[in-house]
Amino acid sequence: MATPMNDDSVEKLLEPFRQAVKCQGDLVKKFKDDNINKEDAEFKQAINELKLRKKALEEQITKWMPKEESIDRLKMEDLLKRRFFYDQSFSIYGGVNGLYDYGPMGCAIKANMLAEWRRHFILEEQMLEVDCSMLTPEIVLKASGHVDRFADFMVKDAKTGECFRADHLIEAHLEKLLKAKDITPEKKTEIERLLPQVDNMKGDDMHRVIVEYKMKSPITNNDLSEPVAFNLMFATSIGPTGQLKGFLRPETAQGMFVNFKRLLEFNQGRLPFAAAQIGNSFRNEISPRSGLIRVREFTMAEIEHFVDPTDKSHPKFETVANLEVQLYSASNQMSGESPQLVRLGDAVKSKLINNETLGYFIGRIYLFMTRVGVDKRKLRFRQHMSNEMAHYACDCWDAECKTSYGWVECVGCADRSAYDLTQHSKFSGEKLVAERPLAAPKKVQVNEVQAHSSIIGKSFGKDTGAITQYLQKLSHDDARVLHDKLEKGDEKITIDGKEFTITRKMFTFRTSEKTVQVEEYVPSVIEPSFGIGRIMYSMWEHNFRIRPESEQRTYFTLPPLIAPYKCAILPLSGNEEFKPFVKQISSILIHAGISHKVDTSSGTIGRRYARSDEIAIPFAITIDFDTLKQPYTVTLRDRDTFRQIRAKIDEMANILQGLSSGTITWGEICSQYPEFIEQQATKEQQ
């Protein structure tokens, strides 16, 4: 979404729209500088007006952009499902929305992508990989904020009970009204002003809009219920009694936070270090849509980089400092400007990106995404604006990919400060801290809270655990008060409505002074979070092609690094003399660890080439009549250029390993080996 074209006349047309965004952005900035309450009606109105003007500018930019080669999404998705890259789960039973199965091709691409992710991040940074439970007790997600805040508003069909996500339903209805031929200018203006506000609406606001615009169920035209908040986590119970409430995890991050002490110990107490996890997460979307973009079960690859909050430099930042990346800053968004190509070193130096570690990971994300097949022209990093950034975050950038669904967030990269470890310390009672050496020793006051469970157990039996945990979680101030009261006599405490009498022997609070040479601190966290399914979908769109000579010949130009098979082995015909060579070449490739597909079907060689192209196989080895002559040679065909070279069979493994890993290019291979034009064998030899 760079400048539409180098055309002064177009820029003149866009200028009033850019200026309108800038003026409103300046107003929002002024409100923030004046520390106006974000819940203030005037501030909310200013934000909504800014969104409206931004949308108008984006529509104009899209209108004047040079027409890109459009993606025929239906053809692409037909190919993906026909060759079983993926399809809807349980389709023989009618399928379940938001659940998808990956077939052989999808599995292979996903495995190759995750292998490259491990190499690019875990191996490169010597990260500590973990594999944590997907079942998560409620208390963990209470601490993280998911129990209280991880919700969307839902409405139901009053008769059938079918559920719809309220904001999506309202947006779809309003956008449909905008396209109506008989819409009045006044009504159009009203709806255009209303649309940007939908994201920030509460339940009452949504209900008012639904009633005012007479919205009905989009399927049955029945009345709709009032919007209610719906938590997006899948609830379950752990154990046969059903008393321990839990959820399927909505993200993989919490497993790394709760294991911080073990990971820090494994890393010999040294910071910075990073933990990484790949695994499935679950979100009970109300009305999944957009295919693989919004699903209920999905694979995430997440990194938690723990760092001293006073030093967020990165020793390897210089390796990415010269990368030019398309950044869509909060300032750009508020000033009506387009994303800018910015050198990462300059972005960090100017504090556009908050710190070196965050900038380093943005650079590494960019390199990974382009390496696995995302088009760099359709990749941007959008900075969260202050009204959408979490209150505890220092800075946050989303890697967004341009698709036929619009700009889709595929990777989030946030500096989450010390929020997560602080929350889990508060709820668990465990100190999740690191240590840094002091310049000189100093004396500190130490408070120690101790609940004597053996004595508590003699009086309270099965309630011992709850009482001990309650006492250990007391703040130092509350513990001191309780201790002072117990010095004078027994004291009653109430836990979950049940009263217990505590004696002096059951609880101790001590204050002492000691000399320390280190100080404790809660580390900050830089978190890159990858949605693997979204990256795969974007990559498929960016690499989908149709052969000019035939609308039916569709294929994917995926990089060899992540292609499901690195090559196909194709005998020219069913000639018996070709069969030993098929077995020999296949055996060589197996021993070299090169994935391949053998196609000995009866179709023409052209049809078999087309079949291998469809499933993104980048190279094809063809055994022809010249192969029968010593030295034994075969042809190697490139999927994207159609060019072929001829080489010895025993050289094929090395050639394909180099091409698949990216250590050598097809152009370099073509300069080293003779180009194949036609067979030398005569018809008599055939």
Side-chain angles (χ1 to χ4, degrees):
M1 193 176 154
T3 302
M5 58 184 70
N6 295 322
D7 186 331
D8 290 341
S9 62
V10 172
E11 276 305 316
K12 284 181 181 177
L13 290 169
L14 293 177
E15 181 56 30
F17 292 92
R18 294 194 191 280
Q19 193 59 36
V21 172
K22 185 179 185 306
C23 289
Q24 192 64 21
D26 289 343
L27 177 61
V28 171
K29 286 177 188 173
K30 183 179 182 304
F31 281 146
K32 288 175 182 173
D33 291 341
D34 294 341
N35 292 319
I36 192 169
N37 190 325
K38 288 186 178 181
E39 295 302 313
D40 186 275
E42 193 176 2
F43 179 75
K44 285 185 175 181
Q45 186 178 349
I47 289 288
N48 290 332
E49 181 63 27
L50 178 60
K51 288 181 179 179
L52 180 65
R53 295 185 184 190
K54 280 174 59 182
K55 185 178 179 183
L57 172 61
E58 287 165 6
E59 287 173 352
Q60 289 300 312
I61 289 175
T62 302
K63 177 180 176 181
W64 294 105
M65 281 284 279
K67 296 299 179 187
E68 299 179 57
E69 185 178 338
S70 59
I71 292 291
D72 189 330
R73 191 199 299 162
L74 291 178
K75 276 193 175 180
M76 185 195 75
E77 292 186 347
D78 172 70
L79 173 56
L80 287 168
K81 291 175 181 179
R82 178 164 50 82
R83 298 308 302 268
F84 200 12
F85 284 76
Y86 78 94
D87 204 355
Q88 193 171 31
S89 301
F90 316 111
S91 55
I92 65 170
Y93 288 97
V96 177
N97 287 341
L99 298 179
Y100 292 92
D101 296 333
Y102 288 106
M105 296 300 92
C107 274
I109 291 170
K110 184 179 177 182
N112 291 340
M113 179 181 287
L114 292 176
E116 176 58 17
W117 192 89
R118 280 192 167 94
R119 187 204 65 76
H120 188 84
F121 290 104
I122 295 177
L123 187 61
E124 178 75 23
E125 312 300 332
Q126 298 186 22
M127 294 177 178
L128 308 179
E129 186 173 6
V130 296
D131 185 359
C132 302
S133 171
M134 288 183 278
L135 277 173
T136 308
E138 182 182 33
I139 185 65
V140 175
L141 295 166
K142 185 79 173 172
S144 68
H146 286 87
V147 170
D148 296 326
R149 295 191 297 270
F150 199 62
D152 284 329
F153 282 98
M154 172 182 74
V155 290
K156 287 184 179 181
D157 184 309
K159 291 184 178 178
T160 68
E162 185 162 1
C163 300
F164 306 95
R165 186 166 150 178
D167 57 342
H168 289 173
L169 182 140
I170 292 169
E171 286 169 351
H173 185 86
L174 294 179
E175 284 167 1
K176 184 178 178 181
L177 290 179
L178 280 178
K179 295 175 183 176
K181 293 180 180 178
D182 58 350
I183 188 170
T184 64
E186 294 77 19
K187 183 59 72 174
K188 184 176 181 182
T189 301
E190 177 186 305
I191 292 173
E192 285 176 340
R193 291 193 173 280
L194 187 59
L195 267 170
Q197 302 177 36
V198 176
D199 284 344
N200 299 322
M201 284 182 180
K202 306 297 185 192
D204 291 343
D205 300 324
M206 290 182 173
H207 182 58
R208 177 181 55 78
V209 173
I210 288 170
V211 171
E212 181 180 344
Y213 286 87
K214 299 184 173 77
M215 296 182 191
K216 304 287 185 181
S217 166
I219 297 173
T220 63
N221 206 36
N222 293 329
D223 290 337
L224 295 166
S225 69
E226 289 190 22
V228 293
F230 174 76
N231 192 289
L232 298 179
M233 292 189 294
F234 285 96
T236 185
S237 55
I238 301 171
T241 65
Q243 292 180 348
L244 180 56
K245 189 176 179 182
F247 298 91
L248 292 177
R249 65 185 180 194
E251 61 182 23
T252 63
Q254 302 309 317
M256 289 176 274
F257 295 136
V258 299
N259 280 298
F260 171 74
K261 282 181 70 173
R262 305 286 299 275
L263 292 166
L264 181 65
E265 181 184 348
F266 182 86
N267 206 50
Q268 298 163 344
R270 293 178 292 110
L271 255 67
F273 75 88
Q277 181 169 199
I278 297 170
N280 278 17
S281 298
F282 306 84
R283 297 185 184 180
N284 196 10
E285 295 286 350
I286 296 165
S287 49
R289 59 181 187 177
S290 306
L292 289 176
I293 303 300
R294 190 175 295 279
V295 293
R296 287 174 166 144
E297 179 182 356
F298 50 95
T299 301
M300 299 184 77
E302 291 193 289
I303 296 164
E304 306 301 336
H305 181 92
F306 299 99
V307 63
D308 186 332
T310 65
D311 180 13
K312 294 180 182 177
S313 61
H314 197 287
K316 293 164 71 175
F317 178 69
E318 287 306 313
T319 62
V320 301
N322 288 322
L323 278 177
E324 284 194 332
V325 177
Q326 191 170 209
L327 299 181
Y328 195 23
S329 68
S331 177
N332 290 152
Q333 295 170 64
M334 292 183 71
S335 301
E337 298 170 353
S338 297
Q340 306 291 323
L341 271 178
V342 182
R343 184 178 161 274
L344 284 177
D346 296 333
V348 171
K349 187 177 180 181
S350 67
K351 286 295 181 181
L352 175 61
I353 295 174
N354 185 270
N355 56 74
E356 276 192 5
T357 298
L358 188 61
Y360 176 72
F361 277 109
I362 287 173
R364 293 294 293 170
I365 291 165
Y366 172 85
L367 292 173
F368 171 76
M369 298 283 274
T370 52
R371 188 163 167 77
V372 299
V374 170
D375 187 340
K376 66 180 180 182
R377 298 168 302 173
K378 299 179 180 179
L379 172 65
R380 73 181 186 189
F381 288 82
R382 188 185 72 82
Q383 187 178 32
H384 282 207
M385 295 173 67
S386 58
N387 63 295
E388 59 181 321
M389 198 183 303
H391 66 278
Y392 50 79
C394 298
D395 198 5
C396 184
W397 295 78
D398 291 338
E400 297 182 331
C401 294
K402 181 75 177 292
T403 72
S404 58
Y405 291 108
W407 287 99
V408 173
E409 175 198 345
C410 293
V411 187
C413 192
D415 182 336
R416 297 175 59 88
S417 67
Y419 173 78
D420 301 284
L421 294 182
T422 301
Q423 284 293 102
H424 285 298
S425 289
K426 177 182 173 183
F427 276 77
S428 69
E430 289 282 344
K431 285 168 61 175
L432 302 177
V433 296
E435 295 178 344
R436 67 166 75 93
L438 290 168
K442 70 175 183 180
K443 291 185 177 181
V444 296
Q445 182 176 292
V446 178
N447 296 315
E448 182 186 2
V449 176
Q450 190 171 8
H452 304 287
S453 56
S454 58
I455 298 173
I456 295 170
K458 290 176 182 178
S459 298
F460 298 112
K462 65 179 182 179
D463 293 316
T464 300
I467 295 168
T468 302
Q469 188 177 41
Y470 171 87
L471 294 172
Q472 287 177 336
K473 284 186 178 181
L474 289 173
S475 69
H476 289 162
D477 288 342
D478 290 341
R480 183 181 287 108
V481 170
L482 177 61
H483 180 272
D484 292 345
K485 287 180 177 178
L486 290 172
E487 290 287 354
K488 300 172 184 176
D490 296 350
E491 188 67 25
K492 289 181 168 46
I493 62 171
T494 302
I495 303 172
D496 295 332
K498 195 172 180 181
E499 196 173 77
F500 303 95
T501 300
I502 305 299
T503 67
R504 173 68 187 81
K505 292 181 179 180
M506 295 178 183
F507 179 74
T508 306
F509 178 78
R510 291 193 185 96
T511 299
S512 59
E513 193 177 76
K514 71 175 182 178
T515 302
V516 296
Q517 299 188 14
V518 296
E519 65 178 344
E520 294 178 339
Y521 66 94
V522 181
S524 285
V525 177
I526 312 292
E527 180 190 70
S529 177
F530 296 72
I532 298 302
R534 290 186 173 194
I535 297 172
M536 288 175 67
Y537 184 83
S538 301
M539 176 195 69
W540 282 327
E541 275 209 11
H542 293 183
N543 290 275
F544 178 67
R545 302 288 185 272
I546 300 174
R547 296 283 185 205
E549 66 274 13
S550 172
E551 286 287 311
Q552 303 309 311
R553 290 193 64 180
T554 54
Y555 67 108
F556 292 104
T557 58
L558 297 182
L561 180 71
I562 60 159
Y565 298 112
K566 307 311 178 190
C567 78
I569 300 174
L570 310 172
L572 190 64
S573 67
N575 191 305
E576 286 295 320
E577 293 180 89
F578 293 158
K579 291 182 179 179
F581 290 100
V582 173
K583 289 181 180 178
Q584 178 192 357
I585 295 167
S586 180
S587 178
I588 290 170
L589 297 186
I590 288 170
H591 283 93
I594 298 170
S595 60
H596 59 281
K597 181 176 176 61
V598 176
D599 187 351
T600 57
S601 60
S602 58
T604 65
I605 191 67
R607 183 167 294 178
R608 284 182 286 148
Y609 280 148
R611 276 205 297 264
S612 71
D613 292 349
E614 277 190 330
I615 54 175
I617 301 178
F619 306 106
I621 294 173
T622 307
I623 301 161
D624 58 17
F625 290 101
D626 284 350
T627 304
L628 306 178
K629 299 182 298 181
Q630 290 190 352
Y632 301 126
T633 62
V634 288
T635 70
L636 185 67
R637 169 191 179 265
D638 175 60
R639 172 198 62 209
D640 301 335
T641 65
F642 285 171
R643 291 184 68 184
Q644 296 187 60
I645 55 106
R646 191 159 205 104
K648 293 178 183 177
I649 287 175
D650 57 13
E651 294 178 299
M652 276 295 128
N654 284 338
I655 291 172
L656 286 166
Q657 280 177 331
L659 289 169
S660 299
S661 64
T663 56
I664 192 169
T665 66
W666 177 249
E668 289 169 329
I669 290 292
C670 289
S671 67
Q672 295 175 21
Y673 292 91
E675 185 173 4
F676 172 75
I677 305 299
E678 61 181 354
Q679 293 183 80
Q680 300 302 310
T682 63
K683 290 182 180 180
E684 286 75 22
Q685 289 173 310
Q686 294 179 30

